[in-house]
Amino acid sequence: VLAMCLLAEGQQLYLHWSHKIGTFLVLGFSVTSLFILSVLWGDQWKTVRLSFQITAPYLHIGAITIMVLLSWPVALHAIRADKKVVQVIIVGPYLAILLFLFLIPLGMYSPCIREMGTLGPKPALIGHRGAPMLAPENTEMSFQKTIEHGGDGLETDVTISYDGVPFLMHDSTLRRTTNIKEVYPNDTVQNAALFSWDTLQELNAGTWFLKDKPFSFMGSLSRADQNQAMNQSIYKLSNFLRLADSQNKLVIFDLYRPPEKHPYRNSWINRTLEVILNESGIRPHLVLWLENDMRSFVQSVAPGFQQTVGSKAPVEDLLMDNIVKLNLAYTEMSSEDIRKYAEANITTNLYVVNEPWLFSLAWCSGAHSVTTNAVHTLKNLSQPLFLMTPQQYNIMWILTDLTSVLLISLIFAL
């Protein structure tokens, strides 16, 4: 940029050979780094692209503002140029970019720019492993916090102990969310499913939460909550389901198959069904059944479950399998797909949605529910952020363009 400014003023650069080599090295390093980041940050780039859908109207105003600020140096260099050709080279690209920015709203899409009365109901909130910003994940306290803050459903992860007791645990080992290092230091890398239920009950599943603070924006806990968190234990699936049933909350869970040589390696689904149907007493319609293995068998013994799938598929295939809900990563969000599935009475749940802007986009796109770590925050939103009518946006767009044209004209005239 500095070089271009110097050349525009008719100055020579007088670059030393070391400057030239350094410039190419920095350029090569930058291009390589951007390429590597684009590969490693695939999901993050998808999030950035989604953010444009909701922030595009405001980014447009920001871009116009930047062009107004640039009009002064552009006009100054154009006036100082001796030849008409140079003036055209300076002013031409600037005006072309400005015209493009003036017209870009014609092709802009934002689901939160919509007519009054067309916004769907607020998506239901499903607590991701409970309320992991307020309590240790997958513990009774965590799910109680979700219920206290008005969550509509509970999400968890289920594995099976060596003696056949389904319990809640996300990781394959117990290192992160229990005190296994202190109690059984030689077994920290052992699969959680290879412990007996009696052994699992000995572990503390809450002290790590206060020590490690899994979220940087958790906030402070009251003394009572700290004491309660320190006394949490691994939660049994049957107890989890009884809690959900007593509060009329939906449940959805990932069911992990036990490792090789586990007694329930080949009967994991049957054992889980026994707990759901015979031991917990939960009403079947509250269960969003996500596991694909043995789906036909599950439907035959538990026809009341809401069959759920974790990937997009043709509507005809989903209806054939009696699927009533999709459980998708938020990066797969598409208002067109959500609408298409909804017309076939197939609802869409998006995970894991924590930020208010992303929840607002899901709301505007027509999502029926979201899985979130932040039920306590999202519950307070009464309407989507950045919501406006097309008429409101048109007024904002036209006023911005007219104001910028006036200011730029004055600057060039001076």
Side-chain angles (χ1 to χ4, degrees):
V1 172
L2 291 173
M4 292 297 294
C5 291
L6 288 171
L7 291 173
E9 290 293 323
Q11 301 293 322
Q12 294 296 318
L13 297 182
Y14 299 112
L15 292 177
H16 190 267
W17 63 268
S18 61
H19 298 150
K20 298 176 183 178
I21 294 175
T23 299
F24 281 107
L25 286 176
V26 170
L27 183 62
F29 175 77
S30 301
V31 171
T32 304
S33 298
L34 285 174
F35 174 77
I36 293 172
L37 287 176
S38 67
V39 173
L40 296 178
W41 290 0
D43 288 340
Q44 284 80 355
W45 289 126
K46 291 178 182 178
T47 303
V48 171
R49 288 196 293 271
L50 284 175
S51 72
F52 288 155
Q53 291 187 18
I54 200 166
T55 59
Y58 306 94
L59 292 176
H60 171 245
I61 294 175
I64 294 292
T65 302
I66 291 173
M67 294 301 289
V68 171
L69 296 175
L70 288 175
S71 63
W72 179 262
V74 169
L76 187 63
H77 287 297
I79 292 170
R80 290 181 178 179
D82 296 330
K83 299 179 181 179
K84 281 284 186 183
V85 175
V86 177
Q87 291 179 336
V88 171
I89 292 174
I90 294 172
V91 178
Y94 174 82
L95 293 179
I97 295 172
L98 190 63
L99 180 62
F100 171 75
L101 290 175
F102 284 160
L103 299 179
I104 199 172
L106 293 174
M108 186 181 295
Y109 167 74
S110 176
C112 284
I113 298 178
R114 56 194 311 126
E115 296 288 354
M116 292 283 290
T118 62
L119 180 67
K122 183 177 180 178
L125 299 174
I126 299 176
H128 182 236
R129 307 177 204 166
M133 293 184 183
L134 304 176
E137 67 180 55
N138 280 335
T139 62
E140 181 179 9
M141 178 184 178
S142 188
F143 298 113
Q144 289 283 9
K145 286 293 183 183
T146 302
I147 294 167
E148 288 176 18
H149 288 278
D152 304 287
L154 307 172
E155 186 273 350
T156 189
D157 314 275
V158 178
T159 190
I160 300 176
S161 71
Y162 197 78
D163 50 350
V165 178
F167 64 97
L168 311 189
M169 183 61 58
H170 174 267
D171 299 0
S172 59
T173 70
L174 302 167
R175 285 181 296 178
R176 183 175 65 88
T177 58
T178 74
N179 63 337
I180 185 76
K181 294 177 185 177
E182 290 78 28
V183 182
Y184 298 105
N186 296 326
D187 297 326
T188 56
V189 297
Q190 184 163 281
N191 192 293
L194 297 178
F195 292 87
S196 69
W197 177 243
D198 287 341
T199 302
L200 293 169
Q201 281 186 299
E202 297 177 25
L203 302 176
N204 183 292
T207 53
W208 70 274
F209 178 75
L210 300 176
K211 180 176 64 176
D212 297 340
K213 295 187 182 297
F215 297 92
S216 58
F217 42 91
M218 286 168 47
S220 58
L221 300 181
S222 67
R223 175 60 62 182
D225 282 347
Q226 291 182 36
N227 291 335
Q228 186 179 1
M230 290 180 65
N231 290 288
Q232 293 301 297
S233 56
I234 294 176
Y235 208 28
K236 192 187 292 188
L237 175 63
S238 57
N239 292 337
F240 165 76
L241 295 174
R242 290 189 191 102
L243 174 65
D245 183 70
S246 67
Q247 300 295 324
N248 196 36
K249 302 299 181 185
L250 295 169
V251 297
I252 183 171
F253 50 83
D254 288 311
L255 179 57
Y256 299 143
R257 188 178 186 183
E260 297 287 346
K261 299 182 180 179
H262 190 285
Y264 291 86
R265 169 74 176 176
N266 297 317
S267 57
W268 55 306
I269 291 179
N270 304 70
R271 177 63 189 127
T272 304
L273 288 172
E274 286 178 11
V275 172
I276 297 173
L277 299 174
N278 302 327
E279 298 179 24
S280 72
I282 189 172
R283 287 161 287 174
H285 74 276
L286 294 176
V287 178
L288 305 178
W289 183 264
L290 187 57
E291 179 57 49
N292 273 323
D293 284 359
M294 299 174 60
R295 190 179 288 276
S296 297
F297 170 73
V298 172
Q299 291 187 54
S300 67
V301 298
F305 287 179
Q306 296 190 52
Q307 295 298 320
T308 306
V309 71
S311 60
K312 293 180 181 179
V315 171
E316 297 77 14
D317 294 347
L318 297 175
L319 293 176
M320 191 178 302
D321 291 334
N322 298 314
I323 302 299
V324 298
K325 183 178 282 290
L326 292 176
N327 186 52
L328 304 174
Y330 72 81
T331 51
E332 298 186 55
M333 187 188 312
S334 165
S335 55
E336 291 184 5
D337 286 343
I338 291 173
R339 188 183 313 112
K340 175 184 68 176
Y341 290 122
E343 289 173 353
N345 293 320
I346 300 172
T347 59
T348 302
N349 179 71
L350 300 174
Y351 66 89
V352 173
V353 176
N354 297 326
E355 296 80 9
W357 74 264
L358 188 56
F359 178 69
S360 298
L361 182 60
W363 190 345
C364 293
S365 299
H368 299 82
S369 60
V370 300
T371 301
T372 178
N373 294 319
V375 169
H376 60 295
T377 300
L378 302 184
K379 194 67 179 181
N380 296 327
L381 285 181
S382 57
Q383 70 171 33
L385 304 177
F386 311 110
L387 182 65
M388 67 177 77
T389 65
Q391 292 78 12
Q392 290 171 331
Y393 178 62
N394 287 337
I395 293 172
M396 184 172 70
W397 167 29
I398 294 171
L399 286 178
T400 300
D401 286 0
L402 291 177
T403 303
S404 62
V405 167
L406 178 61
L407 291 174
I408 293 171
S409 299
L410 287 174
I411 290 171
F412 271 86
L414 293 174

